[in-house]
Amino acid sequence: MKFMCVAMDFDGCLAYYNDDKTGLFKIFTDIGFTEDEARDAYGDVDEAEGISLNSLVRSLERKSGRTIDRNGLEEKLSSWIESSVTLFPDVLKFLEKVKASGTPIAIVTFGNKEFQTQKIKTSKIIYDELVVTPKDGEKFLALGKLLKHYGAPIVFVDDKPKELDNARKHLAETEISLFRIIRPIGSHINKDAEFEHPEIKNLEEILS
């Protein structure tokens, strides 16, 4: 099927952290927190508002009662992003094929806009449009705008069942094809979906 736009999530779909985020947590263990405390802070803000240095610091300060000196932390965060964000093996070839076909590429991701944009720029992937949604579960709003801009049908690939389910509830099957990608690394592998979504392991499967 010829799609008017190929839309994809970023984390767990196109890329992953090659250190399981241990480098991120080390930023905070180096200033006196335990890794468990850093992981708890990550869990608190991950789906609530998205990860950023500010959100992690606020969570740790709130729980510990400490005031954190942020001097030098942004630089450490940037260094960690550059060393840890890694593309899955099929991504670059797939994006090149889509680009060569003339089909627009959109990255639709949830989280803190600055943090997500920094990761995506670091990955050096090619795309035509980047949309960072501020609320978990609301990618369907961005997909609706892509439909209005590019026309139907479009395709959307994500590893998170919640986003795919919400897209199916709000957008017609004739307008958008939804695929759940199952990667060997990801935080949503064992989560159940409300609807049945075709499952793929390689992005090129959506082109067949």
Side-chain angles (χ1 to χ4, degrees):
M1 179 184 292
K2 168 67 175 175
F3 297 112
M4 304 305 291
C5 176
V6 173
M8 293 159 289
D9 175 42
F10 185 72
D11 297 291
C13 179
L14 302 185
Y16 63 98
Y17 300 118
N18 61 28
D19 65 347
D20 192 31
K21 301 183 283 289
T22 55
L24 173 62
F25 302 136
K26 188 176 186 301
I27 295 172
F28 298 101
T29 59
D30 283 350
I31 57 173
F33 292 94
T34 67
E35 184 170 322
D36 284 344
E37 287 174 324
R39 285 185 179 274
D40 285 345
Y42 185 96
D44 285 345
V45 302
D46 185 23
E47 295 195 359
E49 57 183 295
I51 299 301
S52 70
L53 179 63
N54 287 336
S55 65
L56 290 170
V57 167
R58 284 196 303 268
S59 178
L60 285 166
E61 287 182 332
R62 185 173 61 251
K63 289 188 170 186
S64 67
R66 288 177 50 184
T67 298
I68 297 174
D69 181 2
R70 305 187 187 202
N71 186 43
L73 297 188
E74 285 284 3
E75 290 78 6
K76 289 182 178 180
L77 180 67
S78 294
S79 177
W80 170 71
I81 289 173
E82 289 177 7
S83 65
S84 66
V85 173
T86 304
L87 296 176
F88 287 105
D90 59 323
V91 171
L92 290 179
K93 183 179 177 182
F94 170 76
L95 293 177
E96 288 169 1
K97 279 190 176 182
V98 175
K99 192 70 175 177
S101 74
T103 305
I105 299 168
I107 307 301
V108 181
T109 182
F110 157 74
N112 175 273
K113 186 172 184 178
E114 182 179 354
F115 185 68
Q116 291 300 103
T117 301
Q118 186 177 1
K119 287 192 301 182
I120 291 165
K121 285 185 176 178
T122 297
S123 75
K124 295 182 172 59
I125 59 170
I126 54 175
Y127 60 88
D128 298 287
E129 193 162 346
L130 169 61
V131 183
V132 182
T133 62
K135 291 187 179 180
D136 183 39
E138 292 192 353
K139 290 180 184 176
F140 69 89
L141 296 173
L143 296 171
K145 291 179 180 179
L146 291 176
L147 277 166
K148 287 183 180 179
H149 182 69
Y150 294 110
I154 66 172
V155 62
F156 178 57
V157 184
D158 204 327
D159 67 316
K160 190 172 187 177
K162 179 180 179 180
E163 297 288 2
L164 295 168
D165 288 340
N166 287 347
R168 179 50 63 229
K169 290 175 185 176
H170 292 88
L171 303 168
E173 291 186 35
T174 54
E175 294 179 315
I176 183 167
S177 294
L178 301 171
F179 290 89
R180 180 179 180 180
I181 191 159
I182 307 296
R183 295 296 198 181
I185 300 171
S187 56
H188 307 293
I189 294 172
N190 296 317
K191 293 184 179 178
D192 294 328
E194 229 180 297
F195 299 90
E196 286 191 19
H197 306 290
E199 294 184 355
I200 60 173
K201 292 184 178 180
N202 186 300
L203 289 167
E204 294 202 32
E205 292 178 54
I206 72 171
L207 300 178
S208 59

